[in-house]
Amino acid sequence: MRILSRLSLTVGAMNEARVPAETTTFMTDFLRQCGGYGVIDGGLATELERHGADLNDPLWSAKCLVSSPHIVRRVHLDYLDAGANIITTASYQATIQGFEAKGFSRDESEELLRKSVEIALEAREIYLERCTKDSWDWTATERGSTRPILVAASVGSYGAYLADGSEYSGKYGDSVSLETLKDFHRRRVQILANAGADLIAFETIPNKLEAQAYAELLDEEGIEIPAWFSFNSKDGINMVSGDSITDCASIADASKRVVAVGINCTPPRYIHGLISSIREVTNKPILIYPNSGETYDGETKQWLKSDGMTGEDFVSYVSKWKEAGASLFGGCCRTTPNTIQGIAKALSSKAF
């Protein structure tokens, strides 16, 4: 269910025939139509729980694809109402292996992956129809009722599937090789790439090995839609695994199918320095969507308060991050539609 004809940008003009092009102009064209910047949505799990979903499950947010898809759609709509240009699907922790472990068949598991994209596409259509009727809404009058909106199919790390906190350490053990990771992600990436999304978002990448696995998969499988790589840093210098952020960003830069590179699920206080580091190795658009500033404890599975900038005030730093070189801005864990609305309004400000 693609609704490209409804977009003023007409995503098809950017993604013409969905060719690798070598996808070089996809994101720059999109950003140009957005006015030079783009707004990514915010935390999904936080909002699902706020709407009553119980995510105490190895599937985490992907559980809602089974139990409450209507809540997923509602959260997508909340972020579109807040001003997001890009919504990410509820597939971050959705894997064939994870669904099979819960008793689903292979076919059912694959269909749930497709469903994550379908729900986001439905939300986009509903939102655009609403904007047509309610053109007085600020997102319509300020940014255009048919502003460019993309659906990004989210791919979480191998550690996210393990649900043991290793997505926040990047430590998978010596038995996990490059081939292990490619085999794990291969079919999932194939399905999401052909489900109707506009691009693939490889998110919260914790180590260099997994970044390399993704880059090789994109080539080996001939994936035709664009992708972005977003890394997770522990200290503003290195990945959570200890790998160099510049080494990892260089992998993204070398892939013709990767159209943007950046940072997510990282405390806001580290963002400025990380943008500078990424700019050293790539001219591709840089995206940033920090978490709330809290730290996740993988053992207790709780978020802990941290010192420094938090989600409550990081919106005020958006202009500085743009000056540092970022082009796409959003939020990750524990951020909300209010956060995204703040970002959208900040970017729309003439003073910006």
Side-chain angles (χ1 to χ4, degrees):
M1 184 192 303
R2 295 182 68 82
I3 54 173
L4 306 181
S5 62
R6 301 181 65 96
L7 305 183
S8 60
L9 167 66
T10 308
V11 173
M14 301 183 304
N15 199 14
E16 188 173 357
R18 297 171 72 84
V19 294
E22 307 286 358
T23 64
T24 51
T25 64
F26 177 93
M27 190 57 76
T28 52
D29 288 348
F30 170 72
L31 289 170
R32 186 178 305 113
Q33 292 293 325
C34 289
Y37 58 83
V39 179
I40 304 170
D41 61 9
L44 178 63
T46 302
E47 290 302 294
L48 292 173
E49 289 179 323
R50 187 173 70 83
H51 287 298
D54 178 5
L55 304 186
N56 185 23
D57 190 279
L59 293 176
W60 196 44
S61 58
K63 176 185 176 184
C64 290
L65 296 174
V66 179
S67 63
S68 45
H70 63 287
I71 299 180
V72 177
R73 187 181 301 106
R74 178 174 177 177
V75 173
H76 287 323
L77 284 166
D78 287 346
Y79 280 117
L80 290 172
D81 286 337
N85 294 110
I86 302 175
I87 52 174
T88 52
T89 61
S91 52
Y92 176 82
Q93 204 144 322
T95 65
I96 294 171
Q97 299 88 336
F99 286 130
E100 288 181 332
K102 299 291 287 186
F104 293 94
S105 69
R106 173 58 63 99
D107 287 347
E108 290 170 335
S109 300
E110 293 186 358
E111 188 57 34
L112 284 167
L113 285 170
R114 296 185 187 95
K115 186 176 182 179
S116 70
V117 176
E118 291 170 0
I119 292 170
L121 293 174
E122 289 169 3
R124 180 170 67 178
E125 181 173 24
I126 292 168
Y127 174 77
L128 290 173
E129 288 178 348
R130 181 187 300 166
C131 282
T132 300
K133 297 176 182 178
D134 302 324
S135 60
W136 51 265
D137 182 79
W138 82 267
T139 57
T141 57
E142 298 271 339
R143 305 190 66 204
S145 61
T146 54
R147 71 180 190 271
I149 296 172
L150 301 180
V151 169
S154 172
V155 173
S157 69
Y158 177 67
Y161 155 72
L162 296 176
D164 61 359
S166 59
E167 65 184 303
Y168 299 104
S169 70
K171 306 296 186 183
Y172 296 159
D174 295 338
S175 64
V176 177
S177 66
L178 181 68
E179 292 304 317
T180 302
L181 294 175
K182 288 198 291 184
D183 289 344
F184 174 80
H185 288 294
R186 191 180 305 277
R187 183 57 181 154
R188 176 195 195 187
V189 170
Q190 290 172 337
I191 292 169
L192 290 173
N194 290 291
D198 300 302
L199 71 161
I200 301 176
F202 293 100
E203 303 188 278
T204 324
I205 305 172
N207 57 45
K208 183 177 177 180
L209 186 68
E210 199 147 25
Q212 188 64 47
Y214 290 147
E216 292 187 14
L217 269 183
L218 290 174
D219 285 337
E220 291 173 7
E221 298 305 316
I223 302 301
E224 294 186 339
I225 65 172
W228 82 45
F229 280 15
S230 185
F231 302 103
N232 184 7
S233 173
K234 65 178 180 180
D235 56 11
I237 301 173
N238 299 307
M239 304 272 282
V240 291
S241 62
D243 292 333
S244 163
I245 185 64
T246 53
D247 287 350
C248 294
S250 293
I251 292 172
D253 182 68
S255 174
K256 292 180 180 179
R257 289 168 175 80
V258 175
V259 296
V261 56
I263 298 291
N264 77 291
C265 209
T266 296
R269 62 186 178 276
Y270 295 140
I271 296 300
H272 193 280
L274 290 165
I275 294 171
S276 299
S277 295
I278 293 171
R279 284 193 67 191
E280 293 178 5
V281 296
T282 187
N283 290 320
K284 293 181 178 181
I286 295 175
L287 55 92
I288 59 102
Y289 46 119
N291 60 30
S292 64
E294 297 162 281
T295 301
Y296 186 75
D297 186 321
E299 294 185 2
T300 64
K301 299 186 184 301
Q302 294 182 333
W303 286 92
L304 307 176
K305 292 291 185 181
S306 300
D307 294 332
M309 194 191 318
T310 69
E312 295 178 356
D313 59 20
F314 83 63
V315 170
S316 64
Y317 285 78
V318 168
S319 62
K320 294 181 181 178
W321 293 337
K322 183 176 185 296
E323 290 172 3
S327 301
L328 294 131
F329 309 84
C332 197
C333 296
R334 312 276 281 184
T335 61
T336 69
N338 286 339
T339 311
I340 301 311
Q341 185 175 53
I343 292 172
K345 287 186 174 181
L347 293 172
S348 297
S349 172
K350 293 181 180 179
F352 184 84

